[in-house]
Every structure is written in structure tokens, then in C-alpha cells.
Amino acid sequence: MTRPVLIIETGQPVASMRRHGGFSHWIRTAAALPRDAAVVVDVERGAPLPAHDGFAGVIISGSGAMVTERLDWSERTAEWLGAAAHAGTPLFGICYGHQLIAHALGGEVGWHPEGREMGTVEIERLPQSDADVLFTGLPTRFDAQATHLQSVLRAPEGATLLARSEHDPVHAYRWREHVWGVQFHPEFSATHMHGYVRARRTALQREGLCPDAAHRGVGATPHARRVLRRFAHYARHRPEARP
């Protein structure tokens, strides 16, 4: 029997989108994980983290928090992720999770100097991703959903950059052969992205961005979702995933 995948919730969707469930539900659905193949731990609300060796892999969600706030629950999770990464546990961080893994492994996270990236954005896959188990075979350019103010400003030592956008040069990286971070949201559908643009309408206008243009630009992102599904398959089917 294969060990379950651990989903670490570091936050919840914006209030207007919670009728669609929490991030763990969005992730599990997008990753095509059966309900009994995933265990959820909500670290933002104080849940303790279990031993990492009981899981086939770990997926870390996005959050409305900022890594630079150095919140107690976030720093505890970063310490846990660092230990799990060095122990060989497969990790996959999404947005905040991507940044938190980078922080845990010695990278630098901070406010993006050009501000917010939001909407359906074009991701450019870098040549070194050709041999990556999650990115190989994807189009050189593909669409993904994104919403963030902070970014990985410097990837951890030893990391391989896999993808970028026009806005953000570190949209995806791999550390060693079993740890990935993606700034984009492979678990977001077009419905989720539309909801986030609506929720951030005032902020977008205040920052000189056009929410109507962002809405018009939202589309489906099947290739981004494939990255998450490939991680779930990789984690659950490697030999070490069985007790």
C-alpha cells in the first residue's frame, strides 16, 4: 500500500471563494488524488506537523501571509521542510509554499520590485527543464494562473531554475532531484482566477493595473495542472513510497 501525500495548508482562499472549498480541496482535486490518498494539516491554524517519513510526498499550499513576516507557524514549517528536504522526502511548494521552501533551504524571499503579478500569465520553460520529471515535454511556453506580491529573489544554492515569466525570473525551480517550487498556481481553475481578480479589484486599481483586462485574459491552464499531477504520480509511484 502506498503512503499518503501530505498537504500542508498555510492559508485559505479569499473569503468570496471559500464556497468552493479550501486550498487542500483544490490541490487534491487538481492533483487527481483520491480522498484516502491525502492527509491535510492546517499549520496556519496551529496543527502540528507529523513525521515526514510517513508520507509519499508533501504539497505546500499558497497563503495570504508573507514569508518575510516570519510568523511562528511559518518558521516552524520552514524548519520542518528543510529537514524533510535533506531527508529525501519529495516536496512541491505552490506560491507561498514555493517561497517557504526556498527560505528553508537558504534562498531569499522578498517583495517583488515591480509589484503584483496577477491573472493568467505566460510561463516560459527554460532549456534545463527538458530533463526534469515534472516539466519535460511541456510546451516551451504555456499559461498558468498567478497571484502574488512576494517572490523568490534568489533560489537556494544548488537549485536548478526551470521556468520564468516576463514578470518573475524564478517561477519554478528544482532543488536536487526531489524538491520543487512553483510560483504559479497549478490548482487554480479559470473560475478560481476570476474570483481572485474580483476580490482584488480595488487593490489592482490602486496599483495602476486594470482588473477588466485581467478578467479578459483569464483562460484555462491545463499544462500548469499537469505539473502538479506529475508530482503526485512521481511521489506515489517511486519505490520509497511504499511502507
Side-chain angles (χ1 to χ4, degrees), residues 29 32 61 99 116 168 171 204 217 219 236:
T29 301
S61 80
Q99 297 167 16
R116 189 186 304 269
D168 196 323
H171 242 286
L204 289 166
R236 298 186 71 216

Side-chain angles (χ1 to χ4, degrees), residues 192-216:
H192 297 142
M193 195 71 255
H194 277 300
Y196 263 75
V197 173
R198 282 193 297 271
R200 299 287 186 249
R201 184 176 187 85
T202 300
L204 289 166
Q205 291 173 327
R206 185 173 60 244
E207 295 162 13
L209 302 172
C210 179
D212 293 331
H215 271 300
R216 289 194 297 271

Side-chain angles (χ1 to χ4, degrees), residues 60-182:
I60 308 94
S61 80
S63 178
M66 300 294 167
V67 169
T68 57
E69 293 176 298
R70 302 290 190 266
L71 299 171
D72 287 346
W73 62 263
S74 182
E75 290 295 279
R76 285 195 301 271
T77 304
E79 183 178 359
W80 187 95
L81 291 171
H86 283 284
T89 302
L91 306 179
F92 186 89
I94 297 171
C95 195
Y96 188 90
H98 154 86
Q99 297 167 16
L100 193 60
I101 293 173
H103 167 59
L105 295 175
E108 180 185 356
V109 175
W111 298 95
H112 193 289
E114 296 181 12
R116 189 186 304 269
E117 183 178 44
M118 187 167 207
T120 303
V121 303
E122 186 179 69
I123 302 297
E124 179 186 357
R125 189 169 62 80
L126 300 175
Q128 53 267 34
S129 71
D130 287 345
D132 183 80
V133 67
L134 304 191
F135 283 82
T136 185
L138 294 182
T140 303
R141 296 178 182 272
F142 61 91
D143 287 341
Q145 316 294 2
T147 173
H148 65 108
L149 286 160
Q150 293 199 334
S151 295
V152 174
L153 304 180
R154 178 174 51 81
E157 184 176 352
T160 300
L161 298 185
L162 301 172
R164 65 189 176 193
S165 71
E166 183 177 351
H167 180 88
D168 196 323
V170 189
H171 242 286
Y173 63 82
R174 185 188 70 248
W175 183 80
R176 297 186 180 174
E177 298 301 321
H178 63 287
V179 175
W180 289 266
V182 296

Side-chain angles (χ1 to χ4, degrees), residues 7-58:
I7 300 175
I8 298 178
E9 278 191 318
T10 61
Q12 297 298 321
V14 292
S16 59
M17 295 302 293
R18 292 177 191 172
R19 66 185 184 277
H20 298 289
F23 283 143
S24 60
H25 172 68
W26 299 8
I27 289 168
R28 187 180 60 77
T29 301
L33 284 168
R35 190 176 299 274
D36 62 357
V39 172
V40 179
V41 173
D42 188 340
V43 292
E44 186 195 31
R45 293 176 176 170
L49 283 157
H52 51 75
D53 58 3
F55 297 93
V58 181

